[in-house]
Amino acid sequence: MERQRMITQMREKGKTPENQLRNEEILSLQEKDFRLSMLKMMQDVGNKLEAKMDNLQETLTKEIQDIKLKQEEMQNTITEIKNSLEAANSRIQEAEERISEVEDRLEEIMDAEQKREKRLNTNEESLRELWDNVKRTNIHIIGVPEGEEREKRTEKIFQEIIAENFPNMGKEPLTQIQEAQRVPYKINPRRNTPRHILIKLTKIKDKEKILKAAREKKQVTYKGTPIRLSADFSAETLQARREWHDILNVMKGKNLQPRILYPARLSFRFEGEIKTFTEKQTLREFSNTKPVLQQILKELL
Amino acid sequence: MERQRMITQMREKGKTPENQLRNEEILSLQEKDFRLSMLKMMQDVGNKLEAKMDNLQETLTKEIQDIKLKQEEMQNTITEIKNSLEAANSRIQEAEERISEVEDRLEEIMDAEQKREKRLNTNEESLRELWDNVKRTNIHIIGVPEGEEREKRTEKIFQEIIAENFPNMGKEPLTQIQEAQRVPYKINPRRNTPRHILIKLTKIKDKEKILKAAREKKQVTYKGTPIRLSADFSAETLQARREWHDILNVMKGKNLQPRILYPARLSFRFEGEIKTFTEKQTLREFSNTKPVLQQILKELL
Amino acid sequence: MERQRMITQMREKGKTPENQLRNEEILSLQEKDFRLSMLKMMQDVGNKLEAKMDNLQETLTKEIQDIKLKQEEMQNTITEIKNSLEAANSRIQEAEERISEVEDRLEEIMDAEQKREKRLNTNEESLRELWDNVKRTNIHIIGVPEGEEREKRTEKIFQEIIAENFPNMGKEPLTQIQEAQRVPYKINPRRNTPRHILIKLTKIKDKEKILKAAREKKQVTYKGTPIRLSADFSAETLQARREWHDILNVMKGKNLQPRILYPARLSFRFEGEIKTFTEKQTLREFSNTKPVLQQILKELL
C-alpha cells in the first residue's frame, strides 16, 4: 500500500509534456516561437525530470536514513543483549559452582551421617546391653496391691512372698536384697493395675533360683492372691523377647521344648539338636530348608 | 548532514541545459545549426539525466547493499544470541534440577536428623538414668584432707566417720563397702580443696540410712573437723537438682516442707496435699492457678 | 555481482535517443516533419527517462520494503530475545535465592551436626566409663577348656582355681561371686581357643587382691595347666591400654617401673617422680623436653 501511494504521488509531480502541447499547435507556431517553445519544452522536460529525480532521491534517502537509524538502534539493543547474556552466563557459571560446592558438602554430610548413624546404632546396642546387665539381678513382682508397702517395708513383702511360696528356699537370697521399691515412682492415675515391685538382688544365681522355682510352682501367691514374678530387661530386649512369643507358643504345642534365652534368643530342640536363633530372619532361612519346621511356623515368620 | 551533502553533489553532476544556451543564441542560429543544436541538446539532456539517474541508482544501491550486509551481520549475531540463550536456558534448567535434587536430599537429611536427634535425646536420657542407677548406692565424703588415705585404707576412713558420728548404727553397712576411693583419680593442682572420697555400698537402704542420720545430726565430723556426706548423681541430675535450690530455700522459709526426691523432683506440702514436680515449667503452670504460691515463688520461676 | 547486474538491466531499458536519429536524417526532414519529430523525440526522451526512473524507484522501493520487512522481523526476534532473556534472568535470580537458602540450611545442618558430634563423643565416653564401671569387679579366666563347666558349676571352677593357686587367700572373696559364666554366650566355631570365664565379684578390693596375687605368683594354673587371670574393661579402654603396650615393655627394660593405671593411663618413675600420662600426645610433648626419655622412646611415639 505504502509503495503504491509513493509511486502515484511521484507521477503526478513529473508529468510528460505530451498532454500540454498538441501537434497542431506546434505546426502553427512561427519559427521564432517554435524555437523558443522547443527550448522551453526542453528545459521543462529536464527540470521536471530532475525535480522528480530529486524527489525520488530525497524520499529514498530518507527511507534509507530511517532504516539506518533503526538499524543502529537495533545494533545497540543487540549489544545490550549480548552484554546482558554474558552477565547471565557468568551468573549461571557462578550458580553452577555454588551448586557443585553444595553437592560436595551434601556428600560429605551424608558420609558423616552414615558414620554417625552407625555409631548411634552401636551406642544404642551398648545401652541396651548395659540396661540388661543392670537389670540382670532384678525380679519384677506383678500384682501386689498398691499401698501394701505403706504398712511394711517393700523388702518385707518380697520376703513374705518367698516364705509363702518357696518355704524350702533358705535364707540366703533374702539377705542379698540391694533394692526393693515400686516402679515407676509415680502412679499413673489412668492405669488401674498396681505398679510392679522391683527387687534388686546381688547374685544372678539367686534371681534364677527364685524364677525357676516360680515357673515350677506354676501359681505364685501373695496372701493367697495370685501374683507373678518375672525377670527384668531393657525395653528393647523385652520387645525382642515378645516378638518370639507366638512362635514359642506354637512350638510348645509341637513339643519342640522352646525357650527364650538371655537376652532374647529363641532356643528349641529339632532333629535331636538344640537350635538357637537371635533373629526371625535366620530362623526363616533355616526353616526354608526344613519342610517340617516350615509347616509348623507357616504364617508366623 | 550526510544526506544534504549527497543531494548537492548530485545536482552539480546533472546541471540542466538552461544556462548553456540563451534564447538569443537559439534565435540567431541557421536552420541547420538549430536542428543539430536541438538534437545535441536533446541528447545532452537525456545523457545528463541518465547519468544522474545512474549515479543516484549506484549511490542508493550501494547504500542498500551496505544496509543489507549490516543486516545480515546483525542477523548472524541474533542467531548466535538465540543459540547462546538456548544454551543458557538449558544450563538454567539443569541447574534448577540439581537444586531440586539438593533440596530433596536436604529434606531427607533433615528428616533423618530429626530422628537421630530424638534418638540422641533418648540415649542421653538413658545414660543419665544408668549413671544415676550406678551411683545410687554411692556416698560422697567431702572435706577429708588429702593424704589421710595414705596412712590407712580409704575404707577405714569411712568406718571411722561412721563410728565417730553414728555410734549406734551397727556394723552391717560397714561390711557392704564395694568400693572406697578418692575421685577424680588425678589431683587438679589449681583446686585447693581436697578431692571427694567415694564410697560405694551394696544396698541402697544402707546409703539412705547413713544420709538420713547425717541430715538429722546436722554436723558430721572427721577427727572433730566438719565434713559433709552427700548422695551421688549423674552430672545432669546434679544440675537438675541444683536448679530447684533457690525454690527449695524459699519454700523452707514458708514451711512448705519441701524435699528433692530421686532423681530430681521437687516435692512439697500445699493445701494439705503432697505436690511433686519434675520441671519448673509445670510448677509455674500450677502456681499460676494458686495466687498464694505465685506470691511465694515470684521471680524464682 | 547483484548490484552490477541491476545497473546493466536498467541501462538497456532506458537508452538515449542518440542512436535512433542520425544528424543527416534530421537535416533532410521537411520543417513540418522536423517539428513533429522534435515533439516526438522530446516526448520519447521524457517517457523513457520517466519509465527508467519509475523502474528504479520501483526496484529500490522494493529493496527498501524487503529490508524493512526483514528489519521488522529482526526487531520481533530481538523483542522475543529480550523477553526470553528477562525470563532467564528471573529464573537465575530465583535459582540463586534457592541456592542461598540451601546454603543457609546446610550451614545450620553443619552447626547442628557439630553439636551432635560432640554429644555423640560425650555419650561414647560416658558409655565407655559405664562399661568400665560395670566391668570393674570382673575377672576374666582365660584358658580353662570348654566343657569343664558342664560337670560342675562355673563358680566352682573359680573356687578351685583360688584354692589351687592362692591357698592362703581366705574364704571371703568366694562368698561374693555375683556371676560366673562363659562369655560370649555362643561358641564361635572358627576359634579353637576356649571361651573366657567371666567372674563378677562384689568388691573391687577382692578383685584387686586376686589379680595382685596372680601377678606375684607369675604362673597360675587350673588342674596343673597354665591359665591366665585378667581384669575386664570396655572394648575402648582395652584398646587404649593395648596402645601403651610397646612403650611399657621398653620402659620395663630401662627400669622405669612402668604401670598401666585404671582405666588406661601410663605411669612410670622418672627423675625421682611418678609421671602419669593419659595420651601418647602428652607423653611425646614431655619426652621432647627430656633427651634421655626421648632416646628411650624413639620410634615408639
Side-chain angles (χ1 to χ4, degrees):
Chain A
M1 285 296 288
E2 163 68 13
R3 193 183 156 219
Q4 197 50 50
R5 197 185 56 77
M6 199 166 69
I7 289 169
T8 310
Q9 201 177 26
M10 290 174 88
R11 268 204 188 121
E12 273 160 11
K13 278 181 183 168
K15 276 208 171 109
T16 59
E18 69 194 337
N19 301 318
Q20 289 162 6
L21 280 174
R22 303 266 163 88
N23 287 354
E24 293 80 22
E25 287 174 66
I26 283 292
L27 294 177
S28 66
L29 287 174
Q30 292 293 321
E31 175 67 14
K32 182 191 166 193
D33 289 341
F34 168 70
R35 288 194 179 188
L36 290 175
S37 288
M38 277 295 108
L39 201 62
K40 178 77 167 57
M41 274 171 71
M42 223 171 301
Q43 284 168 352
D44 285 354
V45 166
N47 286 345
K48 277 178 190 155
L49 282 170
E50 199 155 9
K52 193 177 172 180
M53 216 184 296
D54 285 351
N55 191 278
L56 174 63
Q57 180 179 11
E58 197 173 340
T59 306
L60 292 177
T61 302
K62 182 157 183 346
E63 288 278 335
I64 286 169
Q65 291 314 309
D66 287 353
I67 287 170
K68 280 177 152 180
L69 276 175
K70 176 72 186 161
Q71 210 171 39
E72 210 170 315
E73 192 185 292
M74 278 164 69
Q75 181 58 56
N76 288 341
T77 307
I78 287 172
T79 303
E80 270 172 37
I81 287 174
K82 276 183 88 167
N83 291 340
S84 177
L85 188 57
E86 211 172 303
N89 275 323
S90 290
R91 284 172 74 186
I92 293 170
Q93 178 77 22
E94 206 191 320
E96 285 169 344
E97 282 161 14
R98 285 169 74 192
I99 295 171
S100 294
E101 175 74 19
V102 162
E103 285 169 342
D104 289 353
R105 282 163 77 189
L106 217 50
E107 208 61 55
E108 281 168 28
I109 287 177
M110 285 169 94
D111 282 358
E113 277 325 290
Q114 215 162 16
K115 283 185 198 124
R116 267 192 279 272
E117 177 74 21
K118 273 190 197 151
R119 287 166 68 192
L120 206 49
N121 289 341
T122 305
N123 290 358
E124 283 168 355
E125 185 59 27
S126 183
L127 273 167
R128 168 184 165 168
E129 278 179 43
L130 272 167
W131 274 116
D132 283 336
N133 205 303
V134 161
K135 289 167 178 271
R136 247 189 125 172
T137 54
N138 292 358
I139 290 176
H140 270 239
I141 307 173
I142 305 162
V144 174
E146 290 279 351
E148 284 290 316
E149 69 277 17
R150 255 176 252 147
E151 289 158 43
K152 49 198 160 202
R153 293 192 348 268
T154 310
E155 207 170 322
K156 192 76 175 42
I157 295 172
F158 176 61
Q159 285 163 349
E160 286 177 11
I161 290 168
I162 299 296
E164 181 174 337
N165 293 278
F166 320 114
N168 304 320
M169 184 159 283
K171 294 286 168 203
E172 210 221 324
L174 305 184
T175 67
Q176 296 289 340
I177 301 167
Q178 287 192 31
E179 198 176 332
Q181 60 175 46
R182 288 280 184 185
V183 284
Y185 304 117
K186 231 179 148 63
I187 298 178
N188 180 345
R190 274 167 301 190
R191 287 195 64 164
N192 50 18
T193 54
R195 287 173 299 165
H196 295 187
I197 289 173
L198 173 74
I199 304 293
K200 181 180 270 307
L201 299 171
T202 300
K203 299 189 181 183
I204 290 176
K205 210 174 54 182
D206 290 335
K207 179 204 74 169
E208 286 173 349
K209 198 194 294 177
I210 292 167
L211 291 181
K212 186 160 178 278
R215 273 197 302 276
E216 284 163 1
K217 191 171 182 288
K218 299 263 184 335
Q219 180 66 283
V220 179
T221 56
Y222 172 66
K223 292 181 177 174
T225 307
I227 58 167
R228 284 201 300 124
L229 302 187
S230 82
D232 191 15
F233 300 101
S234 68
E236 294 76 16
T237 296
L238 208 56
Q239 180 57 32
R241 292 173 75 94
R242 279 202 199 101
E243 281 171 13
W244 290 121
H245 200 75
D246 292 346
I247 292 168
L248 192 86
N249 281 342
V250 167
M251 283 183 167
K252 269 182 192 159
K254 299 293 180 183
N255 205 21
L256 295 180
Q257 301 168 37
R259 289 181 62 193
I260 304 289
L261 299 185
Y262 182 84
R265 292 168 299 145
L266 176 73
S267 162
F268 58 94
R269 181 168 288 269
F270 188 74
E271 296 179 346
E273 277 181 19
I274 300 285
K275 299 290 177 189
T276 308
F277 294 91
T278 307
E279 291 178 347
K280 282 193 177 181
Q281 173 63 22
T282 43
L283 175 57
R284 188 183 307 124
E285 280 159 24
F286 176 71
S287 78
N288 285 345
T289 69
K290 308 284 177 183
V292 177
L293 194 61
Q294 203 169 19
Q295 178 63 19
I296 292 170
L297 299 176
K298 64 173 193 280
E299 289 173 9
L300 284 174
L301 286 173
Chain B
M1 285 295 290
E2 164 68 14
R3 193 183 156 219
Q4 197 50 49
R5 197 184 56 76
M6 198 166 69
I7 289 169
T8 311
Q9 202 176 27
M10 290 174 90
R11 269 205 188 122
E12 273 161 11
K13 279 182 182 167
K15 276 207 171 111
T16 58
E18 68 194 338
N19 301 318
Q20 289 161 6
L21 280 174
R22 302 267 164 88
N23 287 355
E24 293 80 23
E25 288 173 68
I26 284 291
L27 294 177
S28 67
L29 286 174
Q30 293 292 318
E31 176 65 15
K32 183 191 165 195
D33 290 341
F34 168 69
R35 287 192 179 190
L36 291 175
S37 288
M38 278 294 108
L39 200 62
K40 178 77 166 57
M41 275 172 72
M42 223 171 301
Q43 284 169 351
D44 285 355
V45 166
N47 287 345
K48 278 178 189 155
L49 282 171
E50 199 155 8
K52 192 176 173 182
M53 217 183 296
D54 285 351
N55 191 276
L56 173 62
Q57 180 180 12
E58 197 173 340
T59 305
L60 292 177
T61 302
K62 181 154 185 350
E63 289 277 336
I64 286 169
Q65 291 314 310
D66 288 352
I67 287 171
K68 280 176 152 180
L69 277 175
K70 177 71 187 162
Q71 210 170 38
E72 210 170 316
E73 191 186 293
M74 278 164 70
Q75 181 58 55
N76 289 341
T77 306
I78 286 172
T79 304
E80 270 172 38
I81 287 174
K82 277 184 88 166
N83 292 340
S84 177
L85 188 56
E86 212 173 303
N89 275 323
S90 290
R91 285 171 74 186
I92 293 170
Q93 177 77 22
E94 206 191 321
E96 285 169 344
E97 282 160 14
R98 286 169 73 192
I99 295 170
S100 294
E101 175 74 19
V102 161
E103 285 169 342
D104 289 352
R105 282 163 77 189
L106 217 50
E107 208 61 55
E108 280 167 28
I109 287 177
M110 285 169 94
D111 282 358
E113 277 325 288
Q114 215 162 15
K115 284 186 198 122
R116 267 193 279 272
E117 177 74 21
K118 273 189 197 153
R119 287 166 68 192
L120 206 49
N121 288 341
T122 305
N123 290 358
E124 283 169 355
E125 185 59 27
S126 183
L127 274 167
R128 168 184 165 169
E129 279 179 43
L130 272 167
W131 274 116
D132 282 336
N133 205 303
V134 161
K135 289 167 178 270
R136 248 189 124 174
T137 55
N138 292 359
I139 290 176
H140 269 238
I141 307 174
I142 305 162
V144 174
E146 290 279 351
E148 284 289 318
E149 69 277 17
R150 255 176 251 148
E151 290 158 44
K152 49 198 160 201
R153 294 192 348 269
T154 310
E155 207 170 322
K156 192 77 174 42
I157 295 173
F158 176 61
Q159 286 163 349
E160 287 177 11
I161 290 168
I162 299 296
E164 180 174 337
N165 293 278
F166 321 115
N168 304 321
M169 185 158 283
K171 294 286 168 202
E172 210 221 323
L174 305 184
T175 67
Q176 297 287 341
I177 301 167
Q178 287 191 30
E179 197 177 331
Q181 60 176 45
R182 288 279 184 185
V183 285
Y185 304 116
K186 231 179 148 61
I187 299 178
N188 180 345
R190 274 167 301 191
R191 286 195 64 165
N192 51 17
T193 54
R195 287 173 298 164
H196 295 188
I197 289 173
L198 173 74
I199 304 294
K200 182 179 270 307
L201 299 172
T202 301
K203 300 189 181 183
I204 290 176
K205 210 174 55 184
D206 290 335
K207 179 204 74 170
E208 286 173 349
K209 198 194 293 176
I210 292 168
L211 291 181
K212 186 160 177 280
R215 273 198 301 276
E216 283 163 2
K217 190 170 183 288
K218 300 262 183 338
Q219 180 67 283
V220 179
T221 56
Y222 172 65
K223 291 182 176 173
T225 306
I227 58 167
R228 283 200 302 123
L229 303 186
S230 82
D232 191 15
F233 300 102
S234 68
E236 294 76 17
T237 297
L238 208 57
Q239 180 56 32
R241 292 173 74 94
R242 279 203 198 101
E243 280 171 13
W244 289 121
H245 200 74
D246 291 346
I247 292 168
L248 192 86
N249 282 342
V250 166
M251 284 182 166
K252 269 183 191 159
K254 299 294 180 181
N255 205 23
L256 296 179
Q257 301 168 37
R259 289 180 61 194
I260 304 289
L261 300 185
Y262 183 83
R265 292 168 298 146
L266 176 72
S267 162
F268 58 93
R269 182 167 287 271
F270 188 73
E271 295 179 346
E273 277 180 19
I274 301 285
K275 300 289 178 191
T276 308
F277 294 92
T278 307
E279 290 177 348
K280 282 193 177 180
Q281 174 62 23
T282 43
L283 175 57
R284 189 183 306 123
E285 279 158 24
F286 176 71
S287 79
N288 285 344
T289 68
K290 308 283 178 184
V292 177
L293 194 61
Q294 203 169 19
Q295 177 63 19
I296 291 171
L297 298 176
K298 63 172 193 279
E299 290 174 8
L300 285 174
L301 286 173
Chain C
M1 286 296 289
E2 163 69 13
R3 193 183 156 219
Q4 196 51 48
R5 197 184 56 77
M6 200 166 67
I7 289 169
T8 311
Q9 202 177 25
M10 290 173 89
R11 270 206 188 124
E12 273 160 12
K13 278 182 184 167
K15 278 208 169 111
T16 57
E18 68 195 336
N19 301 319
Q20 288 161 7
L21 280 174
R22 302 265 165 89
N23 287 354
E24 294 79 23
E25 287 173 67
I26 283 290
L27 294 176
S28 66
L29 287 175
Q30 292 293 319
E31 177 64 16
K32 183 190 163 195
D33 290 340
F34 169 70
R35 287 194 179 188
L36 291 175
S37 288
M38 278 294 109
L39 201 62
K40 178 77 168 56
M41 275 172 71
M42 225 172 298
Q43 285 168 351
D44 285 353
V45 166
N47 286 345
K48 276 177 190 158
L49 282 170
E50 198 155 9
K52 192 177 173 182
M53 217 183 296
D54 285 351
N55 191 278
L56 174 62
Q57 180 179 11
E58 197 173 340
T59 305
L60 292 177
T61 303
K62 181 155 184 350
E63 289 277 336
I64 286 170
Q65 292 314 310
D66 287 352
I67 287 171
K68 280 177 152 179
L69 277 175
K70 177 71 186 162
Q71 210 170 38
E72 211 169 315
E73 191 185 292
M74 279 164 70
Q75 181 57 56
N76 289 341
T77 307
I78 287 172
T79 304
E80 270 172 37
I81 287 174
K82 277 184 88 167
N83 291 340
S84 177
L85 188 56
E86 211 172 304
N89 275 322
S90 290
R91 284 172 75 187
I92 294 170
Q93 177 78 22
E94 207 191 320
E96 285 169 344
E97 282 160 14
R98 285 170 73 193
I99 295 170
S100 293
E101 175 74 19
V102 162
E103 285 169 342
D104 288 353
R105 282 163 76 189
L106 217 50
E107 208 61 55
E108 280 167 29
I109 287 177
M110 285 168 93
D111 281 359
E113 277 325 289
Q114 215 162 15
K115 283 186 198 124
R116 268 193 278 273
E117 177 74 21
K118 273 190 198 154
R119 286 165 70 191
L120 206 48
N121 288 341
T122 305
N123 290 358
E124 282 169 356
E125 185 58 27
S126 184
L127 274 167
R128 168 184 166 168
E129 278 179 43
L130 272 167
W131 274 115
D132 283 336
N133 204 303
V134 161
K135 289 166 178 271
R136 248 189 124 172
T137 54
N138 292 358
I139 290 176
H140 269 239
I141 306 174
I142 305 162
V144 174
E146 290 278 351
E148 285 290 317
E149 69 277 18
R150 256 176 251 148
E151 290 158 44
K152 49 198 161 202
R153 293 194 346 270
T154 311
E155 207 170 321
K156 192 76 173 45
I157 296 172
F158 176 60
Q159 285 163 349
E160 287 176 10
I161 290 168
I162 299 295
E164 181 174 336
N165 293 278
F166 321 114
N168 304 320
M169 185 159 284
K171 294 286 168 201
E172 210 220 323
L174 305 184
T175 66
Q176 297 288 341
I177 301 167
Q178 287 191 30
E179 198 177 331
Q181 60 175 45
R182 289 279 184 186
V183 285
Y185 305 117
K186 231 180 149 61
I187 298 177
N188 180 345
R190 273 168 301 190
R191 286 194 65 164
N192 50 18
T193 54
R195 287 173 299 165
H196 295 188
I197 289 172
L198 173 74
I199 304 294
K200 181 180 270 308
L201 299 171
T202 300
K203 299 189 182 183
I204 290 176
K205 209 174 55 183
D206 290 335
K207 179 204 74 169
E208 286 173 349
K209 198 194 293 178
I210 292 168
L211 291 181
K212 187 160 177 279
R215 273 197 302 276
E216 283 163 2
K217 190 170 182 289
K218 299 262 184 337
Q219 180 68 282
V220 179
T221 56
Y222 172 65
K223 292 181 177 175
T225 307
I227 58 167
R228 283 201 301 124
L229 303 186
S230 82
D232 191 15
F233 300 101
S234 68
E236 294 76 16
T237 296
L238 208 56
Q239 180 56 32
R241 291 173 75 95
R242 279 203 198 101
E243 281 171 13
W244 289 121
H245 200 74
D246 291 346
I247 292 169
L248 192 86
N249 281 342
V250 166
M251 283 182 166
K252 269 183 191 158
K254 298 294 180 183
N255 205 22
L256 295 179
Q257 302 168 36
R259 290 181 62 193
I260 304 290
L261 300 185
Y262 183 85
R265 292 168 298 146
L266 175 73
S267 161
F268 58 94
R269 181 168 289 271
F270 188 74
E271 295 179 346
E273 278 180 18
I274 301 286
K275 299 290 177 189
T276 308
F277 294 91
T278 307
E279 291 178 346
K280 283 193 177 180
Q281 173 62 22
T282 43
L283 175 57
R284 188 183 307 123
E285 280 158 24
F286 176 71
S287 78
N288 285 345
T289 68
K290 307 284 178 184
V292 176
L293 195 61
Q294 203 169 20
Q295 177 64 18
I296 292 171
L297 299 176
K298 64 174 192 277
E299 290 172 9
L300 285 173
L301 286 173

